[in-house]
Amino acid sequence: MSFRDSTVIIIETGRTVIRAGLGLHEPLKTPTVELLARVGLRSDAFTSGVETNGKAHQDPLASTSRASSIPQNGQRTATVKDYLVGLQLDEALKTDPDIVISWPFANGDVKDWTQAEALWKYVLFNQLQRRRVQNESPVLLSLPPGPSRESYERICQMFFERFNVAGLGILERSVGQIYAANSLSGVVVDIGYDKTDITPIYDGFIVHSARTSTSVGIGDCQNYLAYLLRSNQSVMSAISPPEAPLDPVTAHPILVELATQVWKEGNIKVPSDGETVAAEDEGVTDIAAVIVAGKERALIESGMKKRATAKASAAEQQRAREIEALDLITLQFRGHSVTLGKERHRFCEPLFDPSLLRLIPVAVADSLPKSVAELSWPLQEAVGHSVAQTEVDQRQYIWGGLFVTGDITQHVKGIGVALQSRVAPFIANPELQTDVQSRSVRVLNVPEYFPEYRDTGNGFAAFLGASITAKITFNDSLGKNFVSKADYSIKGPRSVIEVAPALL
């Protein structure tokens, strides 16, 4: 059987964010639902083993792994209805600071099934307004790579028995991300909040033995820029005036808030090793390409700017060049105007050199989400090591698709190029001319022929890839790529094993 595109649901589940949308459109749309993948539980609902008022009590269900700095508290007696999710949680946190927060997907697998059910139920029935009794929607669920067969079976059981879906397909996020870049092979570098996942993919299949991750992410970049901003007089005079100075520990969260605003407003550039300035276009040689790419307005504005600059006096042009060299920007932050310089472009440095995090004072480091004493290896080394774990004859294809994704790529451009220049030394000697020799690294991006995704960088690649997969999966009349209700009624939860490429 096949389904109408308008009924298909996409749910992308990441470590810290869930995105979802209803219907497959032409062109493919960006997600309409986005929420933090966290749940909350009021402290009076706990009986043991949770973190309240800063004190942790051991519970067998709580995560004791150092794999993630995000709390993953478990509670045996809590039910789905006990957990606060989405807007409910946001509102509750404004009045009740004792709510215990947990992130059930933070380590890549499902750490608490009740919490996972609460999140997915909220997405399906609250945000997408599905009705359980008459649920005619199939679901394409995108998950981080790595869950066990048992986890797949429990997910299958949950979606059919608890949510009454009409069909279920499961896709590993990394595979969807490489699909979104119009490729079947490559290495996906997914930069998250406190971890960066590196996944080599060959011919549409993840090389699981070569997957790795680093414990450096967006949160570390924010903390590092916050540390650098302490030397900015404009910033410090605004948040910590001489008449009411703040101590470093108190000032740091405020500086992190500013650092977050800076990168989310797209004010960060990432220099690459040996970077050269791109030459300006002298003219337009392919008008049709410009129109297809939807850049007519940008082209016209660029031409007007060039003509205006040409008319300016020599002195004005010199002054403009001086200002441009300083690279200053002025932002509105907490009711103050603050001026930032080139220090903001150092935002991504911890990704490539985690040792920089040691510069953050110990007093401030104690308040950070992870210990800077346990530093990970640089991103370029992790990528090089990961690809080196694949088969020799696969590497040239994997290096031919370096795809950097994650929320940060929506606003910070150039991370892929910066990483490309840094991983070059990890390619084997180019003088060795063999058929399997890797000779270069090619950076992938989401193609511009997806108009809804032109301004989102590679940040929504997992959702786009899941949408592409769903369009193929649920239009298959033979139903070989998803579990239908009929399949589930005959084979039960094990039916998902037959349609999950990750479990082959």
Side-chain angles (χ1 to χ4, degrees):
M1 65 177 297
S2 59
F3 296 92
R4 297 193 309 275
D5 284 353
S6 60
T7 65
V8 175
I9 290 175
I10 308 296
I11 301 179
E12 176 212 335
T13 305
R15 291 180 183 273
T16 57
V17 176
I18 294 178
R19 297 185 176 95
L22 171 63
L24 299 173
H25 311 273
E26 291 292 348
L28 293 174
K29 303 290 186 182
T30 53
T32 57
V33 175
E34 182 172 339
L35 71 151
L36 295 175
R38 63 179 185 175
V39 297
L41 197 62
R42 299 187 188 278
S43 56
D44 56 9
F46 280 96
T47 57
S48 66
V50 300
E51 182 178 339
T52 55
N53 296 322
K55 296 181 180 180
H57 304 276
Q58 186 63 40
D59 185 285
L61 295 181
S63 171
T64 58
S65 172
R66 296 290 301 176
S68 175
S69 64
I70 298 176
Q72 300 169 69
N73 300 303
Q75 173 54 278
R76 294 183 183 278
T77 60
T79 66
V80 171
K81 293 182 179 180
D82 292 327
Y83 286 107
L84 301 172
V85 183
L87 295 176
Q88 303 167 336
L89 177 56
D90 295 339
E91 291 299 320
L93 286 172
K94 295 178 181 178
T95 57
D96 187 356
D98 291 331
I99 291 178
V100 178
I101 303 298
S102 186
W103 303 73
F105 306 113
N107 275 346
D109 203 344
V110 180
K111 286 296 181 182
D112 187 294
W113 289 98
T114 305
Q115 295 172 359
E117 181 179 344
L119 282 163
W120 286 328
K121 178 182 178 181
Y122 178 82
V123 170
L124 285 169
F125 303 134
N126 186 293
Q127 296 295 291
L128 297 179
Q129 298 294 305
R130 298 294 88 192
R131 296 180 60 190
R132 186 188 182 284
V133 177
Q134 298 176 331
N135 192 351
E136 299 178 351
S137 292
V139 172
L140 195 290
L141 181 65
S142 175
L143 294 171
S148 63
R149 288 194 174 202
E150 180 184 359
S151 294
Y152 271 82
E153 291 181 10
R154 291 193 67 169
I155 290 170
C156 183
Q157 182 178 13
M158 181 186 299
F159 273 80
F160 279 105
E161 297 185 11
R162 303 290 291 175
F163 305 147
N164 193 32
V165 297
L168 177 68
I170 298 180
L171 175 71
E172 291 175 298
R173 291 182 77 246
S174 303
V175 175
Q177 288 163 335
I178 206 73
Y179 286 171
N182 193 28
S183 182
L184 292 175
S185 299
V187 54
V188 175
V189 181
D190 191 352
I191 303 174
Y193 178 77
D194 74 332
K195 295 179 73 68
T196 297
D197 295 312
I198 300 161
T199 310
I201 300 173
Y202 177 71
D203 200 21
F205 289 89
I206 292 176
V207 185
H208 283 277
S209 60
R211 287 194 302 116
T212 188
S213 61
T214 69
S215 58
V216 180
I218 299 173
D220 299 287
C221 296
Q222 292 175 168
N223 284 310
Y224 179 63
L225 181 55
Y227 162 73
L228 295 178
L229 291 176
R230 293 176 56 192
S231 302
N232 186 310
Q233 294 183 357
S234 173
V235 171
M236 296 308 295
S237 63
I239 71 167
S240 182
E243 62 272 15
L246 299 177
D247 63 84
V249 175
T250 304
H252 187 78
I254 301 175
L255 292 171
V256 169
E257 181 184 342
L258 174 58
T260 303
Q261 177 181 329
V262 171
W263 78 263
K264 287 190 174 181
E265 290 183 355
N267 295 309
I268 305 293
K269 296 178 183 177
V270 186
S272 60
D273 287 354
E275 180 182 18
T276 58
V277 178
E280 288 192 16
D281 294 333
E282 295 296 334
V284 179
T285 58
D286 192 345
I287 298 297
V290 172
I291 294 175
V292 170
K295 294 184 176 181
E296 307 97 309
R297 182 174 179 181
L299 178 64
I300 294 171
E301 292 178 350
S302 176
M304 294 175 63
K305 182 178 179 180
K306 289 180 180 178
R307 287 193 292 272
T309 302
K311 295 179 181 179
S313 66
E316 291 173 336
Q317 291 185 31
Q318 177 63 26
R319 177 57 179 163
R321 284 193 291 269
E322 292 176 356
I323 294 175
E324 184 177 358
L326 292 174
D327 198 5
L328 301 176
I329 60 169
T330 300
L331 303 175
Q332 293 298 317
F333 178 70
R334 292 196 171 192
H336 298 278
S337 292
V338 295
T339 301
L340 277 65
K342 293 182 179 180
E343 75 271 16
R344 68 186 188 276
H345 299 315
R346 300 180 62 186
F347 178 80
C348 290
E349 285 185 355
L351 294 175
F352 307 115
D353 185 5
S355 66
L356 293 172
L357 296 173
R358 297 187 186 277
L359 298 175
I360 302 176
V362 175
V364 174
D366 288 341
S367 66
L368 302 183
K370 85 177 63 162
S371 172
V372 297
E374 299 180 6
L375 297 178
S376 182
W377 52 7
L379 185 55
Q380 62 272 20
E381 292 185 13
V383 172
H385 172 79
S386 181
V387 178
Q389 303 308 304
T390 63
E391 297 293 334
V392 174
D393 58 347
Q394 297 176 350
R395 295 174 195 171
Q396 61 177 322
Y397 303 102
I398 294 173
W399 279 125
L402 177 64
F403 187 62
V404 180
T405 182
D407 291 346
I408 191 174
T409 62
Q410 293 187 53
H411 310 285
V412 180
K413 310 302 180 184
I415 303 179
V417 175
L419 182 57
Q420 177 191 36
S421 63
R422 289 171 169 84
V423 298
F426 296 93
I427 295 184
N429 190 343
E431 296 179 0
L432 297 177
Q433 299 298 324
T434 65
D435 293 339
V436 298
Q437 173 62 46
S438 302
R439 293 178 174 81
S440 62
V441 179
R442 184 168 66 99
V443 176
L444 299 180
N445 290 293
V446 172
E448 290 200 351
Y449 51 69
F450 293 107
E452 298 292 328
Y453 290 82
R454 284 179 190 146
D455 298 325
T456 62
N458 297 332
F460 287 163
F463 188 86
L464 173 59
S467 300
I468 295 170
T469 303
K471 202 166 185 65
I472 299 171
T473 297
F474 294 123
N475 280 312
D476 178 12
S477 59
L478 298 179
K480 294 183 178 180
N481 297 310
F482 66 92
V483 180
S484 66
K485 279 188 175 179
D487 295 331
Y488 187 80
S489 64
I490 296 172
K491 302 177 183 178
R494 292 182 59 84
S495 56
V496 74
I497 305 300
E498 300 178 2
V499 300
L503 302 180
L504 295 178

